[in-house]
């Protein structure tokens, strides 16, 4: 799928649409994404700052999507774990940028090459317009080669 089409679709995806989250950039090579969220009445919390769930949601799918596009259909890719550290209250427009490097991909490919699972942590900061860090998020991505998974039917046939 073309990156521009996916970006438009994500902007209409209800979890993003109704939280006011916008994908403002998704590079054609799926190496870079930028997400924006403006502070609105429907995404602020009781004390008037960004709702923490929305701050996390704006970072949720991107590392998995970027990695999946580069490892290809011969790999399974999933989010495995996540952490968020709320550093400072978000009061205006906030952004998150994702930059996938060759080093990230080489690490995952090397771990998965022998048929095992590959796990890598990817950090991203949610920042205010002035560059102040509002939240630090880490996502752990899991990858495994599909052909490395034992075929269930073959296993059952060997048992018989």
């Amino acid at each position: 799928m073309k990156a521009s089409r996916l970006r438009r679709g994500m902007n209409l995806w209800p979890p993003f649409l109704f939280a006011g989250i916008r994908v403002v950039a998704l590079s054609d090579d799926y190496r870079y994404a930028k997400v924006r969220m403006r502070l609105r009445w429907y995404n602020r919390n009781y004390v008037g700052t960004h709702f923490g769930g929305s701050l996390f949601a704006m970072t949720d799918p991107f590392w998995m999507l970027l990695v999946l596009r580069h490892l290809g259909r011969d790999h399974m890719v999933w989010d495995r774990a996540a952490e968020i550290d709320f550093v400072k209250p978000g009061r205006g427009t906030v952004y998150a940028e994702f930059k996938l490097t060759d080093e990230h991909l080489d690490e995952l490919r090397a771990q998965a090459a022998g048929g095992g699972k590959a796990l890598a942590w990817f950090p991203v900061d949610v920042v205010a317009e002035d560059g102040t860090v509002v939240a630090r998020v880490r996502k752990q991505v899991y990858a495994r080669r599909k052909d490395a998974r034992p075929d269930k039917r073959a296993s059952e046939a060997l048992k018989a």
Side-chain angles (χ1 to χ4, degrees), residues 43 48 52-53 83 92 102 110-111 129 133 137 151:
N43 65 9
E83 300 173 352
D102 287 332
Q111 288 181 42
E129 287 182 298
V133 175
V137 179
D151 183 20

Side-chain angles (χ1 to χ4, degrees), residues 34-145:
K34 185 174 183 177
V35 183
R36 175 188 73 215
M37 182 171 57
R38 292 186 172 118
L39 184 61
R40 303 284 191 220
W41 65 269
Y42 50 83
N43 65 9
R44 70 177 54 170
N45 62 22
Y46 183 75
V47 294
T49 62
H50 278 290
F51 174 63
S54 296
L55 290 170
F56 182 77
M58 71 184 287
T59 67
D60 189 30
F62 292 97
W63 287 121
M64 188 270 306
L65 288 171
L66 298 178
V67 169
L68 179 63
R69 280 298 288 201
H70 284 276
L71 292 184
R73 295 184 184 269
D74 59 335
H75 285 79
M76 291 186 315
V77 179
W78 299 94
D79 285 327
R80 184 162 186 277
E83 300 173 352
I84 187 165
D85 181 24
F86 298 105
V87 177
K88 188 174 181 179
R91 291 196 164 84
T93 302
V94 294
Y95 297 89
E97 289 186 273
F98 306 84
K99 297 173 186 169
L100 185 63
T101 66
D102 287 332
E103 291 79 23
H104 291 135
L105 295 168
D106 292 344
E107 176 187 345
L108 287 167
R109 284 187 184 110
Q111 288 181 42
K117 66 181 177 184
L119 296 171
W121 284 98
F122 292 89
V124 63
D125 288 342
V126 177
V127 297
E129 287 182 298
D130 66 0
T132 305
V133 175
V134 172
R136 289 195 167 90
V137 179
R138 286 185 354 133
K139 298 286 303 245
Q140 188 181 49
V141 174
Y142 164 97
R144 182 184 297 256
R145 291 188 55 83

Side-chain angles (χ1 to χ4, degrees), residues 1-11 26 28 30:
M1 174 184 301
K2 290 180 86 173
S4 58
R5 187 174 184 181
L6 179 60
R7 182 183 57 78
R8 285 190 301 274
M10 291 182 80
N11 285 332
L26 181 59
D28 290 337
Y30 283 87

